[in-house]
Amino acid sequence: MSDSSEILDALLDAINDAGQLDGYSVWTEVGPERWTEAGAQGAATAYFEIVTPGEELSERAHLIAFPMPAEKPEFDDGAAADRARDAAVDRENGVL
């Protein structure tokens, strides 16, 4: 393993140890094509490249993290809960 490969592995370990971005899934390493598409799909993206003189290829890592779905409130049984649930559904659908 080359020095740049070891450094890139250490960077990826540090990213995993740092945790998730608020509201996003864990970082996932993907190929360059998937990484390019992910930004248009609302994902957070990160790209690391280490280039050293004398090495034929650079070491690269493409990472994505997708937004987590918003948690929907849970409602109790009963008429008041039904009205609150209906109001929440109306807000989600843009009905005022």
Side-chain angles (χ1 to χ4, degrees):
M1 194 182 309
S2 68
D3 289 338
S4 58
S5 179
E6 290 174 7
I7 291 170
L8 186 59
D9 285 344
L11 282 171
L12 295 176
D13 288 343
I15 292 285
N16 287 330
D17 291 342
Q20 296 172 226
L21 292 172
D22 287 339
Y24 286 84
S25 66
V26 295
W27 288 106
T28 303
E29 190 170 0
V30 296
E33 296 83 16
R34 180 72 181 107
W35 181 81
T36 301
E37 298 167 355
Q41 297 171 346
T45 61
Y47 170 78
F48 296 98
E49 180 177 25
I50 299 175
V51 181
T52 55
E55 287 188 5
E56 192 171 308
L57 299 174
S58 61
E59 294 292 332
R60 299 177 188 162
H62 300 81
L63 306 172
I64 61 173
F66 280 101
M68 298 294 286
E71 291 186 29
K72 298 193 180 203
E74 295 193 21
F75 297 98
D76 294 330
D77 292 330
D82 289 342
R83 286 191 298 277
R85 182 179 44 77
D86 292 342
V89 169
D90 287 346
R91 280 192 302 276
E92 286 180 12
N93 293 330
V95 177
L96 300 176

